[in-house]
Amino acid sequence: MKMLSLVGARPEFIQAAPVSRALRRQHREILVHTGQHYDYQMSQTFFDELGIPTPDYNLGVGSGMPGKQTGEIMARLEEVALKEVPDLILLRGDTNSTLAGALVASKLHIPAAHIEAGERSFDRRMPEEVNRIVADALADLHLCVSEKGVRQLAAEGITQTAHFVGDVMLDAMLSNRPLAQRRASHILTRLQIHPRQYALVTVHRAANTDNPHRLAKIVEVLNQIHEPVVFPVHPRTRQALANLGATFASHVRLCEPVSYFEMMVLEENARLIATDSGGVQREAYFFSVPCLTLREETEWTETVAAGWNRLVGVEPARVLEAWQTVTIPPHHPPLFGDGTAAQKIVALLEQDEIRYGATDAQRRMHSPIIELLGSIH
Ligand code: UD1
Ligand code: UDP
């Protein structure tokens, strides 16, 4: 089979690593990078560290308003899809790259598979929520990180095509942990921190960065903590903190976004993690590190139910109370599969009847619109 894998933002690169490895054992993968993330620390570092193949195409869209960014990805991806005529487009998550990929696949009648399907925050003001809903509505195959994802899709009427495969982020963590420990433990020395004697913080959600009141509250909380705080700053957040004129006490160690291996070491050794990231909430769980989520809702409610994650919002009193009273729950059920999600995904892609013909001519017959548009193009 010929698959077109679409990636564009930091977590998509990390997730692409195990899937790409599993896919390429038997199939042809065309890797397309939309260019949504482009700084070395937001993009190339993951390809270098994780050995992700060089993308066959980089659409180079860069940053922009959501409509323009999504539209540019669509226009450029459509050209690639018409040229490559893949059997399937593989999407993940909930970024503008995901949304654009789902729309292009649908318009060209190319089947689409969605990794991380079925997750919902039930807050449609969150840009990612709209992206997920559209991607799931259009996808032909839904690959879920959690059992809850399958149930949520069923509640929306999507049943036959939804499968629990587990989290490819867990695959990535398990296969890279020993290497990360060997190659990136220096990060603790560089930041002058000791295992279990610091907190790790990440913030990048639009709801926290684009709202100066919320961001100011997060700054206030971090300044009041009585332990070292390591805060690798997403470029979006760096800009928002600068606009706010935020200043930090000396125990808050701000740094550039760190590499995946460095992040693995920082997460595994933290006493606690406070974040608004979806991936980091799950990774905190993988490493059995308690997590405080700086949001009012989360998609990853099973980590909350298991007692490892607390939704604390950004009100300083509430966050500080949770920070000081954090405990290690007695149980740690395997919520996100067994670290073989990538293999399960490839097996489903092979089994599924969305499999099309092996030649370009056969694929074109299945997609008259590709035939038509390809001839105009
Ligand atoms: C995007 C995703 C979000 C995901 C996150 C992962 C959407 C709607 N959001 O959010 O779901 O959790 O990626 O990190 O797709 N910037 C740089 N350099 C870069 C990339 C971004 O400076 O390499 C700055 C730009 O000022 C840009 C801003 O960050 O405008 C936001 O980037 P964008 O990709 O639009 O959204 P993220 O906040 O990164
Ligand atoms: N990450 C990283 N370096 C950082 C911050 C995060 O390598 O400085 C990794 C993190 O370990 C996780 C992924 O990036 O694997 C999460 O991405 P992000 O928080 O940007 O997006 P989200 O998961 O919220 O979509």
Side-chain angles (χ1 to χ4, degrees):
M1 288 172 86
K2 182 177 180 182
M3 320 273 187
L4 189 157
S5 291
L6 190 67
V7 294
R10 176 163 67 184
E12 292 168 325
F13 310 136
I14 295 160
Q15 297 202 357
V19 176
S20 188
R21 201 173 314 120
L23 260 184
R24 285 176 192 234
R25 285 190 198 116
Q26 300 281 351
H27 305 285
R28 171 129 187 256
E29 183 188 40
I30 309 291
L31 187 61
V32 180
H33 185 329
T34 65
Q36 180 173 344
H37 284 179
Y38 44 84
D39 289 347
Y40 177 81
Q41 281 301 112
M42 295 299 288
S43 173
Q44 189 59 40
T45 178
F46 302 105
F47 289 81
D48 294 346
E49 253 186 7
L50 296 168
I52 305 166
T54 304
D56 299 277
Y57 297 87
N58 189 321
L59 307 180
V61 295
S63 305
M65 291 294 285
K68 184 161 189 298
Q69 189 180 52
T70 310
E72 291 284 346
I73 299 172
M74 284 184 68
R76 296 178 199 188
L77 177 63
E78 187 173 73
E79 279 188 32
V80 172
L82 285 172
K83 186 167 157 226
E84 294 289 348
V85 196
D87 292 308
L88 178 124
I89 296 187
L90 192 54
L91 311 163
R92 62 73 46 196
D94 50 23
T95 66
N96 290 341
S97 298
T98 316
L99 171 66
L103 287 165
V104 167
S106 164
K107 299 280 175 198
L108 294 182
H109 302 178
I110 300 172
H114 185 206
I115 299 176
E116 213 183 281
E119 298 304 330
R120 299 286 181 267
S121 67
F122 302 101
D123 174 7
R124 289 207 181 187
R125 290 166 310 166
M126 182 183 186
E128 291 84 357
E129 182 75 353
V130 176
N131 295 347
R132 298 177 186 126
I133 290 170
V134 176
D136 282 339
L138 298 179
D140 301 272
L141 183 64
H142 302 83
L143 303 156
C144 299
V145 165
S146 65
E147 298 277 12
K148 186 202 65 210
V150 176
R151 288 196 298 275
Q152 272 164 192
L153 287 171
E156 292 174 20
I158 299 171
T159 50
Q160 304 296 318
T161 55
H163 306 267
F164 169 54
V165 291
D167 194 351
V168 290
M169 296 288 252
L170 179 58
D171 300 22
M173 186 282 265
L174 291 174
S175 59
N176 288 292
R177 188 183 195 177
L179 206 54
Q181 284 165 344
R182 279 206 300 283
R183 295 215 184 139
S185 293
H186 60 82
I187 186 83
L188 301 180
T189 324
R190 175 155 76 84
L191 293 168
Q192 300 176 309
I193 45 175
H194 302 285
R196 305 282 170 244
Q197 293 178 27
Y198 67 92
L200 175 66
V201 172
T202 79
V203 174
H204 75 277
R205 288 275 152 242
N208 282 335
T209 56
D210 295 0
N211 180 334
H213 302 293
R214 287 181 69 89
L215 192 60
K217 285 179 182 170
I218 293 173
V219 174
E220 186 185 330
V221 166
L222 299 184
N223 280 333
Q224 288 183 40
I225 300 298
H226 293 292
E227 67 184 327
V229 172
V230 176
F231 184 2
V233 187
H234 188 290
R236 173 188 205 117
T237 315
R238 183 164 294 280
Q239 211 165 328
L241 288 170
N243 294 343
L244 195 65
T247 54
F248 287 92
S250 61
H251 67 274
V252 186
R253 320 254 157 97
L254 276 75
C255 60
E256 291 297 308
V258 293
S259 78
Y260 180 68
F261 286 176
E262 289 170 337
M263 192 65 177
M264 291 294 98
V265 170
L266 287 173
E267 288 177 341
E268 183 159 17
N269 290 289
R271 185 183 74 85
L272 82 86
I273 294 177
T275 189
D276 59 10
S277 156
V280 177
Q281 284 175 68
R282 268 132 69 212
E283 287 168 346
Y285 189 75
F286 302 158
F287 285 122
S288 302
V289 174
C291 184
L292 304 181
T293 293
L294 303 166
R295 292 172 52 191
E296 273 65 39
E297 74 296 307
T298 180
E299 301 74 24
W300 310 104
T301 50
E302 50 281 89
T303 60
V304 177
W308 287 88
N309 189 3
R310 277 171 78 179
L311 279 174
V312 295
V314 297
E315 283 307 323
R318 186 163 158 222
V319 181
L320 285 170
E321 189 273 332
W323 203 293
Q324 282 148 12
T325 57
V326 84
T327 50
I328 305 276
H331 303 294
H332 190 272
L335 301 173
F336 300 115
D338 59 4
T340 60
Q343 279 163 251
K344 294 192 175 92
I345 288 170
V346 174
L348 281 163
L349 294 176
E350 286 168 350
Q351 257 176 41
D352 207 86
E353 45 184 60
I354 58 176
R355 172 136 71 133
Y356 275 29
T359 65
D360 275 11
Q362 283 169 317
R363 279 192 287 270
R364 283 175 198 279
M365 275 168 59
H366 281 282
S367 179
I369 195 141
I370 286 201
E371 184 79 324
L372 178 69
L373 293 175
S375 60
I376 296 169
H377 186 69

